Amino acid sequence: MTRTNQRPRIAICGMAIESSTFSPHRSGWEAFTLLRGNELVRRYPFLRDGAPLRREAEWVGVLRAGALPGGAVLTDVYETVRAEIGLALEAQGPFDGVLLDVHGAMAVLGYTDAEADLARTVRAAVGPDCLVSASTDLHGNVSRELAATVDLIACHRMTPHEDDDEARERAATNLLRRIDGAGRPRKAWVQVPVLLPGEWTSTRVEPARGIYEDVARVGALEGVLDASVWVGYAWADEPRCRAAVVVMGDDDVVIAREAERLARRYWDARGEFELVAPAGTYEECIKAVLASDARPFVLSDSGDNPMAGGAGDVTWTLARLLAEPAFANPPEVGGRSAIYASLPDPEAARAVADAGVGAVVEVTAGARVDAGPAGPVTLRGVVEHVHEGDPVAGIVCVVAAGGLKVILTERRRPFHLESDFTAIGLDPRGTDVVVVKIGNLETELYDMADDWMLMLTPGGVDQDLLRLRHTNLGGPVHPFAPPEAFGDGPNLTPELL
């Protein structure tokens, strides 16, 4: 490979979102944050000023469009981003390498393999000699076309994701080393016909914990550059949606052997995966909460998790909490305390904010986007907090309805940190029940919870996958197909790319 300069020139670009095709939500321009230039380069801790990796190359921030998980991306939004990335790579090149930052589960209206399509655009812009290294989420879907179009690919190894930056740094480091050394590695790629949510494949517990420990061991073997296992994204209905394995390196025998072994281990464990926490219906969870002395007891309202692609405004759980006798009165008059985080509704949030702190309000809220499981709720209560200008949520209000404090926002926003609550005057540690729209608890919530359960609720990211009715997976996939559909078992022989 002919170097463009004394230091390699590496472009950074991508489009990252996790998209549920079962959610009526659509991700438009309002969903995306666009970063270019040094603002993009400095987004990565390992590339900030003074970081060793920053000095090893000239890093060029082309464009990254990133969004919270949501519904499918509008076609014109994707095609506009794709066009800018392609044109900018051509105009600012030549490059020795590209760090392609994608999620792997981006659904775009009119496309069935959006990341592969974006990778083709990048390849066409930079030419065949430039090395392209893709950094992805382990809940991405790695089709043959994506694996073949990029030169290197890596993903996280932890669920919940505590190693996002570590995985991206690994992708960047591998790219640098191959530019300076042996060039394009070989890739052993194989898909595994298993598709499970992250809540079933948490690396906090077996069998995923052991599988990903094995992935790290394989990545350190002689003749191997890196190893990755993707769980896939269960809330999209596309032919690429399934688990996948890629082992990269220079020894064809070793990478093929280890890719097949990892794929076989994942397939053999398909019946051992379980939900990461005790789970139950709304009724079962509330019964457990009211019988427990744990405080806070965290309930994960999993079906409408905005961080997995849910619309965020499903009211199914909130309607039941508002009618729950235990929360009809505040604790000082014999009731139980609860926090509900959260419900986005721009009109209702605006009305509550205009009423102001201390006002008694009655607003209709929710189900503007996803009214499938339940319709809008009537929220009556006292306004306890109003904040305008949250960078993600816009308006954030707290309305107290008896012992239940409902967080009402202008736009979808996750509540994963203790500071998310304390910043708006709430005390989650001193509350009996904290209900959050999430699946597997993020680290701070997990550490804060005295006890917790996964509430099995309807929505665009329903944990009951069969209730969603996938029809476009392109072949038998566990758990959607009966055992006999796989005959003597799937062919897990890797393809060398």
Side-chain angles (χ1 to χ4, degrees):
M1 175 178 292
T2 303
R3 179 73 66 76
T4 59
N5 210 331
Q6 185 175 1
R7 291 189 304 161
R9 296 188 77 236
I10 298 177
I12 303 174
C13 60
M15 189 169 187
I17 182 174
E18 186 178 54
S19 309
S20 169
T21 63
F22 295 101
S23 171
H25 179 262
R26 294 292 177 259
S27 299
W29 284 113
E30 76 290 338
F32 286 92
T33 298
L34 306 181
L35 297 178
R36 303 174 178 86
N38 283 334
E39 187 180 20
L40 172 54
V41 175
R42 294 186 181 120
R43 176 184 184 275
Y44 306 96
F46 54 90
L47 292 181
R48 289 175 186 157
D49 296 343
L53 213 60
R54 175 70 180 267
R55 297 191 293 267
E56 290 193 32
E58 178 188 348
W59 301 90
V60 180
V62 173
L63 169 63
R64 181 187 187 271
L68 292 176
V73 179
L74 297 177
T75 308
D76 70 302
V77 173
Y78 167 68
E79 291 179 347
T80 301
V81 171
R82 180 187 64 184
E84 181 178 335
I85 288 174
L87 291 172
L89 287 171
E90 291 177 3
Q92 298 178 44
F95 295 102
D96 300 293
V98 175
L99 181 61
L100 180 61
D101 187 349
V102 296
H103 182 282
M106 175 170 64
V108 177
L109 296 176
Y111 292 78
T112 57
D113 192 353
E115 276 86 2
D117 181 75
L118 181 60
R120 285 197 303 270
T121 296
V122 170
R123 174 59 69 201
V126 298
D129 295 330
C130 178
L131 294 186
V132 178
S133 180
S135 169
T136 69
D137 191 292
L138 63 79
H139 298 123
N141 305 294
V142 180
S143 65
R144 184 194 185 281
E145 187 168 10
L146 175 60
T149 303
V150 302
D151 302 299
L152 304 99
I153 190 165
C155 71
H156 315 330
R157 292 173 179 169
M158 297 178 72
T159 301
H161 303 325
E162 298 174 23
D163 63 334
D164 308 45
D165 289 324
E166 179 184 319
R168 294 187 182 100
E169 184 173 3
R170 200 168 72 247
T173 300
N174 287 340
L175 175 60
L176 272 173
R177 299 300 172 257
R178 300 308 286 205
I179 289 172
D180 284 337
R184 187 171 282 111
R186 296 273 275 171
K187 300 185 293 288
W189 166 86
V190 58
Q191 287 183 314
V192 186
V194 176
L195 186 60
L196 295 169
E199 287 74 17
W200 288 82
T201 52
S202 172
T203 55
R204 285 175 175 157
V205 295
E206 297 294 348
R209 179 166 56 194
I211 290 171
Y212 279 90
E213 287 172 354
D214 205 11
V215 171
R217 183 196 64 79
V218 171
L221 290 175
E222 185 74 23
V224 173
L225 174 64
D226 203 358
S228 297
V229 171
W230 287 263
V231 170
Y233 181 64
W235 296 298
D237 192 15
E238 298 174 340
R240 63 179 176 148
C241 294
R242 61 203 66 208
V245 177
V246 173
V247 179
M248 303 185 299
D250 301 306
D251 188 323
D252 286 0
V253 173
V254 172
I255 64 173
R257 180 193 70 212
E258 295 301 321
E260 183 169 1
R261 198 181 59 77
L262 286 171
R264 175 63 58 188
R265 180 169 182 180
Y266 197 91
W267 169 256
D268 289 345
R270 67 192 181 282
E272 301 172 22
F273 291 103
E274 297 180 341
L275 281 167
V276 67
T281 63
Y282 171 86
E283 291 77 14
E284 290 167 338
C285 288
I286 291 298
K287 182 178 179 180
V289 162
L290 298 180
S292 174
D293 293 327
R295 191 182 197 197
F297 198 122
V298 177
L299 294 180
S300 172
D301 184 3
S302 63
D304 192 34
N305 175 12
M307 292 306 290
D313 77 337
V314 171
T315 60
W316 194 91
T317 298
L318 178 57
R320 284 156 176 78
L321 290 171
L322 288 168
E324 192 65 50
F327 307 121
N329 297 304
E332 54 267 27
V333 289
R336 303 289 290 271
S337 60
I339 294 172
Y340 183 81
S342 59
L343 186 67
D345 187 306
E347 292 182 15
R350 180 73 269 165
V352 171
D354 289 346
V357 174
V360 177
V361 294
E362 179 176 319
V363 293
T364 300
R368 308 293 187 191
V369 177
D370 192 348
V377 297
T378 298
L379 179 60
R380 302 181 187 90
V382 178
V383 182
E384 290 196 343
H385 183 91
V386 173
H387 171 69
E388 299 196 40
D390 182 278
V392 177
I395 300 168
V396 181
C397 304
V398 177
V399 177
L404 176 64
K405 299 188 179 185
V406 179
I407 302 174
L408 189 64
T409 63
E410 181 180 3
R411 297 186 294 270
R412 296 184 315 145
R413 181 199 194 283
F415 285 78
H416 295 169
L417 307 176
E418 185 171 0
S419 60
D420 294 337
F421 298 92
T422 57
I424 55 175
L426 297 175
D427 175 20
R429 290 183 185 271
T431 301
D432 295 325
V433 189
V434 177
V435 182
V436 286
K437 287 191 172 182
I438 194 172
N440 196 1
L441 297 189
E442 294 291 338
T443 304
E444 274 201 33
L445 287 175
Y446 182 79
D447 291 341
M448 184 178 71
D450 198 10
D451 198 357
W452 78 287
M453 289 183 70
L454 196 74
M455 193 185 298
L456 302 177
T457 54
V461 290
D462 196 332
Q463 292 289 330
D464 184 349
L465 297 181
L466 300 186
R467 188 158 59 185
L468 294 173
R469 301 184 183 277
H470 291 69
T471 59
N472 297 310
L473 294 179
V477 175
H478 174 83
F480 306 95
E484 56 268 22
F486 300 98
D488 295 330
N491 180 8
L492 298 176
T493 302
E495 183 176 353
L496 288 171
L497 303 175

